[in-house]
Structures are given as C-alpha cells and as structure tokens.
Amino acid sequence: MKKVLYLLLTFSVLLSACNWFKTTPEVGLVLSKHFNDKLYKDFDTAAYNVVFNRHFDSLKSTLSNPKVIGSYYSAQEHRTDLVTRFFTNGELDTLKNYISASTSHGFNPEIFRYTALNALLSKLSAHQFKSIADVYPVIADLELTAAASLLKYDTFIGYGSIIPRKVLNRYYVSTIRPDSASMLKVLESKSLAQLLRSIQPAGEDYLSLERELANLKKSPSVNAAAIKAIEVNMERLRWKIAGIGDEYVEVNIPDFSLTWFSHQDTVTHMKVCVGGRREKDYEEKMKVFLKTHSLDDKPKNHQTPILLSKFNSIQVNPVWNIPVSIAQSEIYYQAMRDPYYLSNNNMRVYYKGQLIADPDTIQWRKYPREHLPFQFKQGSGEGNALGKFKFIFDNGSSIYLHDTNNKSAFMQSNRAISHGCVRVERPLEFAEKLVDNKYQYDQLRMEVNLPPIDTTKMAIYQKRLAKKADTVNVYQVKPKWFGTKKNVAVFINYKTAWAENGRIEFRNDIYDLDDAIYTAMKKFR
C-alpha cells in the first residue's frame, strides 16, 4: 500500500514538473494560432506579470495618464488585454495608422508614441523569438504603449490638447474633459476601429478647416500665418462645450458680429462692438501696479470675456450702473473738469446708498480716485450709454448685450471699442426675436415710443404718448423688464478662422488669443 502511494505521489510531481496540468492563457492561444507556433502555448502568466510590473514601473514617468493605466492593469487578466483583442485582427495597426495621420489635425504623431508603437508591432509581427521569455518584454511594452497612445489620442482629438481655462485670460466656458471612468471605458472598447472612427470630429466646419490645412501645408513657409490660424481654430472646435442647445446666439469677437442660430439655420446676423484690447505690455504693467497700488499705474483691460449663459430678461430704458473702474478712470476726471458734467448727462451720485441731491457741488479734489466713496448711475432715457435696450444673462463678469446711443461706431472696421459689454447694431430686431410673444413685443415697442404692431392697441399707445408729452406733470422714463424665450443660450466666442459659403474666412487675432493657444500647442506640433 505504501509503495502504491509513493508511486502516485512521484507520478503527480512528474506531471506537475512537465506542466501537463498547466492552462495556456488566452494571449498564448491567440498568438499560437496566429503564428502557427506552439512556442506561445508556453506563455506563463506569473512569469509575464513580473516582467509587466517591472516595465510599467520603468515607463510610468513617460506615460500619459499613468494612474488610469495603472488602475486598469491592476487586474491581472488585463495585462495582455489590448494585444489579445486587437493584435491579430489588425486593429492595433489601425491605431498606428490613425496616429500616423494625426498630422491632418495639426499634431506630430510622435506625441502619441508613433515610432515606439510601430517598432513594437513590427517586432511582434516579425515573430523571431528563441524562447517565450523573449516574448514577455515585447508584449508588456506593446500593451503599455498602445494603452498610453490610445488614451492620449482620444483626449487630444476628441477633446482638445489644452484646457482653455488654463491658457486663456477671461475664458469662462466649462469644457468637458475625459475623466478616469471615461478613460477606462476607452480601454475596455470592444472595437478599436469603431472607437477611433467615433473620436474623429465630424462637424462640417472642422472638416472644412482640415481640408484647407492639407492644402496650405503644400507650401508651409508661404502659408505659415494661415496654417497657424487653421490649427488654432481646429483646436477650438475640438473643445467639447455643453449647454449650448439647438437655439443660441453666438457673438464672434474677432468678427465683430452676432449670429442667431436655430438648428443650424441662421435666424439673423448683425454687427456688434466689443471690448477694446488690453493695454500693451499688460502683464508687466500689472506687476508694477500690484507693487504701487496706484491707479495711475493700472493698465487698461476692457477685453470682452469668452462665456456661455442663457438670456433671462430684457431691460427697456435701462439704468447704467457705472462700474467702479469707469468711475475712477473716466467719470472722476470729467466731473473735475466740468462741474455740470453729471447733471448734463443724467448721472446720479450716491453716497452710502443715499442719492446726493446736487452732485454738481461735490468738491472732487477732496477725494482720491483710488478711494471714491460714491456710486454712479446714469438714468433712463435719451443719452444713456446703453441706449434703449439691455439684454441680460447670468455671468460673473457683469457682461451683457445692449443698444448704444453712438450708432456711428458700427461703421468702423475695427469695433473693439467698448468697456467689455457688447453693443448690438439692431437691438429692436434682436428684442423682437428674443421676447416670448407678440403681445410682449408690442408692450416693449410702446415703452420706447414706437407704435404697436397690433393696431387694436393704438388707443393705449396714444394715451401713453399724451402722458409723456404732458408739460405740467413731467413724465419720468423708468426701466421696465420683459421676459425672454426659454433656453436661448448666448455664446460669446472667439474665432479667427471658419468655413462659410464654401470658403474659409479669416479674421485678425485682436486679443492675441491665437498666440496664447498656439504657444501652448507648440510642444505637440
């Protein structure tokens, strides 16, 4: 009996030593079948994992998204995942080919590790290994390189290579960026080819710029400025912006224009005036101001911010709450030079919330403009800088669209002349499209002394005119608010190149924002 047990034990040890009971992992079976070579059936997961961990540690500092990659491969069955699923069916070669073509998006393929990926694919395809141990480092490096390349390609092509808020001054639009959960889904994709197709920007504006870029690159030195503009604006189009909706008003700062879109159709288009560019050498001058705190050293910056919001109201016959910066830099000096400037321009002065009855008597020289204790408002009516209409939406920069009493400004070619808000060329037309219904529009028209469209309201209109013309009981114009259509977004944007009517339109980079983006993208070109 003891002899039988001894023989059985010896036999089981021999079986174990000969790997008779060992199961070949899927990667070994897939490669063995693909190359018709039993070598890969000797694939030992435990031995490979040691090699994989060592290579991951050595490559970690050079990989994009190392935490996500580390999290994904913490599961042992994932450590040959991309090679197992996508090497033999050619989809890792598809990834390589997409990366090679990334020049069409303005990128250098090397930022996606093209050379390394190509070399590893070639090495595995060459199938010249003397032992299974020689295979492990190639598969480990290919797995990690493919994962890093894929994640970076998905981010750059699908979402943009930069985070605009980190690069641009006064950029207040939330852009969607991939998080760890979405990156893990990318690595878990069932079809790499299908995923790569879905990543490509599909908008006609982007595709038009992409085609133009290919043409311009035939003579890169001649077309350097245009190439720069195209690449920067393709980057802008890659940024994923949520919350615009199907109906929105876009103000394009460099074009000095406003366009109302509804399901891609243009509802209206008109000129606008935007904020003036900030003072030359602004950054250096700001450093001086932060040291001296003297307003004489403070550089001007009236640039209109880039933002996204939704209209919520129209103020007719608006009151202009004059910003502190304008009071300090302009109103203060005007009032000092002309004691009647304030009353002649319908401006009221408040001290601790109380209206000063006769502001023309204020001794301005007693008050340093750095510490003016007054607040200023310009009343409704003729001469108001905001005109007759103010179009309001929530934002943290006190920006709005408005009418103006200076209509001649729309005849200028460079209309970067405001303090930051956006002046609209045809405010009445804009108001008509923005109010909720025809009844409101008629009420709005009568507030600015225009007859209603509905002739049955003419009696009401005539009565209002008579009241305003009464010389005994002086009529005081006051602001009135009207609601707007729901969910009409306003997108104050900045585009210097775009497709229109079969051609590419270019505009000057008036705020030097293209330069900022291009500089941030340079390392990827």
Side-chain angles (χ1 to χ4, degrees):
M1 187 65 180
K2 287 182 180 181
K3 281 186 177 182
V4 173
L5 290 172
Y6 177 80
L7 288 172
L8 287 173
L9 181 60
T10 303
F11 185 64
S12 64
V13 170
L14 288 171
L15 284 176
S16 178
C18 293
N19 290 325
W20 288 5
F21 293 145
K22 178 183 173 184
T23 302
T24 303
E26 186 179 2
V27 65
L29 296 174
V30 167
L31 294 177
S32 177
K33 182 179 179 181
H34 178 73
F35 291 115
N36 192 26
D37 191 332
K38 293 181 180 179
L39 168 72
Y40 299 96
K41 289 190 174 181
D42 293 334
F43 197 100
D44 185 283
T45 300
Y48 168 77
N49 284 344
V50 172
V51 174
F52 179 90
N53 291 336
R54 185 169 64 245
H55 280 243
F56 177 67
D57 289 339
S58 66
L59 293 172
K60 191 173 358 182
S61 61
T62 67
L63 297 175
S64 57
N65 306 296
K67 289 185 178 179
V68 174
I69 292 173
S71 174
Y72 180 72
Y73 287 114
S74 62
Q76 290 190 10
E77 62 269 19
H78 283 168
R79 293 180 184 177
T80 58
D81 196 34
L82 299 181
V83 172
T84 301
R85 290 186 289 145
F86 302 128
F87 174 72
T88 60
N89 66 6
E91 292 196 359
L92 284 182
D93 285 301
T94 301
L95 171 62
K96 179 195 71 174
N97 294 337
Y98 269 96
I99 289 173
S100 177
S102 62
T103 53
S104 68
H105 299 286
F107 294 116
N108 182 345
E110 285 308 307
I111 66 169
F112 305 115
R113 309 173 74 91
Y114 173 79
T115 298
L117 181 62
N118 184 47
L120 289 165
L121 285 169
S122 297
K123 193 168 186 178
L124 185 55
S125 297
H127 175 53
Q128 293 179 350
F129 303 107
K130 294 180 179 179
S131 69
I132 193 64
D134 295 336
V135 178
Y136 297 155
V138 176
I139 292 181
D141 283 352
L142 177 56
E143 188 70 28
L144 290 166
T145 300
S149 298
L150 178 59
L151 289 180
K152 195 165 192 175
Y153 186 87
D154 172 69
T155 298
F156 278 35
I157 306 300
Y159 300 85
S161 61
I162 66 171
I163 300 174
R165 279 191 172 184
K166 291 185 176 182
V167 174
L168 298 178
N169 179 266
R170 295 189 175 187
Y171 187 94
Y172 304 122
V173 179
S174 295
T175 54
I176 301 169
R177 301 293 296 178
D179 57 15
S180 57
S182 65
M183 289 183 189
L184 289 173
K185 285 184 179 179
V186 167
L187 294 175
E188 293 166 353
S189 297
K190 303 295 183 189
S191 169
L192 206 50
Q194 185 176 335
L195 170 69
L196 290 164
R197 284 194 298 271
S198 71
I199 290 170
Q200 307 307 305
E204 185 53 41
D205 202 13
Y206 188 95
L207 296 176
S208 296
L209 293 180
E210 191 175 13
R211 288 190 291 267
E212 183 68 11
L213 181 63
N215 291 330
L216 292 170
K217 282 187 173 181
K218 294 173 183 176
S219 303
S221 58
V222 176
N223 299 317
I227 289 171
K228 171 185 171 181
I230 294 288
E231 289 184 345
V232 165
N233 285 280
M234 287 174 71
E235 171 69 7
R236 287 189 174 105
L237 289 172
R238 286 189 287 264
W239 300 339
K240 281 186 165 52
I241 298 171
I244 293 181
D246 293 325
E247 189 163 18
Y248 65 97
V249 173
E250 181 179 66
V251 172
N252 184 9
I253 294 171
D255 189 43
F256 311 119
S257 70
L258 174 155
T259 308
W260 185 312
F261 294 101
S262 179
H263 298 275
Q264 301 305 312
D265 293 329
T266 299
V267 176
T268 190
H269 179 83
M270 63 186 72
K271 297 176 182 178
V272 298
C273 298
V274 299
R277 64 171 294 147
R278 66 185 187 178
E279 202 170 310
K280 190 177 179 181
D281 300 324
Y282 177 83
E283 299 290 351
E284 293 304 313
K285 290 178 179 179
M286 272 302 294
K287 291 177 183 177
V288 174
F289 168 69
L290 292 174
K291 289 180 180 178
T292 66
H293 300 288
S294 169
L295 288 178
D296 292 331
D297 294 327
K298 187 176 183 180
K300 291 183 176 64
N301 184 2
H302 297 312
Q303 291 183 182
T304 299
I306 299 170
L307 58 84
L308 176 65
S309 186
K310 287 186 179 178
F311 289 105
N312 56 51
S313 62
I314 302 170
Q315 189 182 39
V316 178
N317 298 317
V319 169
W320 182 29
N321 295 303
I322 300 172
V324 172
S325 60
I326 297 177
Q328 291 174 333
S329 62
E330 298 178 28
I331 305 299
Y332 175 80
Y333 287 121
Q334 295 280 11
M336 188 179 291
R337 281 193 292 266
D338 178 3
Y340 303 109
Y341 170 79
L342 295 168
S343 55
N344 287 342
N345 287 276
N346 194 20
M347 291 187 182
R348 297 165 188 163
V349 184
Y350 296 81
Y351 177 74
K352 294 184 178 180
Q354 298 298 313
L355 178 66
I356 296 176
D358 190 2
D360 298 337
T361 62
I362 296 173
Q363 300 297 308
W364 294 103
R365 294 188 185 280
K366 291 182 178 180
Y367 305 98
R369 65 189 183 107
E370 287 90 349
H371 305 290
L372 277 180
F374 307 109
Q375 299 80 46
F376 301 83
K377 294 184 180 184
Q378 187 177 38
S380 303
E382 296 299 324
N384 187 286
L386 304 185
K388 296 179 180 179
F389 303 96
K390 177 180 176 182
F391 305 98
I392 303 169
F393 45 88
D394 292 333
N395 66 94
S397 303
S398 300
I399 296 296
Y400 42 84
L401 275 57
H402 65 91
D403 183 15
T404 178
N405 56 16
N406 179 16
K407 305 294 185 181
S408 63
F410 294 107
M411 301 304 293
Q412 300 179 28
S413 57
N414 183 345
R415 295 191 291 279
I417 56 175
S418 82
H419 288 94
C421 290
V422 179
R423 304 176 193 174
V424 179
E425 179 188 23
R426 302 194 300 275
L428 182 64
E429 176 190 334
F430 190 71
E432 179 183 10
K433 298 183 185 310
L434 193 57
V435 292
D436 201 31
N437 53 57
K438 292 180 180 179
Y439 171 81
Q440 278 199 327
Y441 179 56
D442 272 345
Q443 296 297 314
L444 179 147
R445 287 177 61 88
M446 289 188 284
E447 286 295 327
V448 295
N449 297 339
L450 291 172
I453 302 299
D454 184 352
T455 55
T456 63
K457 295 188 177 71
M458 286 301 295
I460 299 173
Y461 173 64
Q462 295 294 343
K463 188 175 180 181
R464 288 191 180 190
L465 287 183
K467 188 175 181 181
K468 291 178 181 179
D470 190 339
T471 57
V472 177
N473 300 303
V474 178
Y475 183 84
Q476 186 177 356
V477 179
K478 294 181 179 179
K480 188 166 184 178
W481 283 262
F482 292 85
T484 62
K485 291 178 181 176
K486 291 183 178 178
N487 299 321
V488 178
V490 53
F491 184 22
I492 299 181
N493 198 6
Y494 193 99
K495 300 187 299 186
T496 55
W498 67 94
E500 186 175 306
N501 299 325
R503 56 174 289 176
I504 303 299
E505 294 286 338
F506 291 93
R507 295 295 182 270
N508 292 330
D509 180 19
I510 59 170
Y511 291 168
D512 295 330
L513 301 190
D514 279 15
D515 285 344
I517 295 172
Y518 196 69
T519 299
M521 292 177 64
K522 248 181 187 175
K523 57 187 174 183
F524 307 132
R525 298 183 68 255

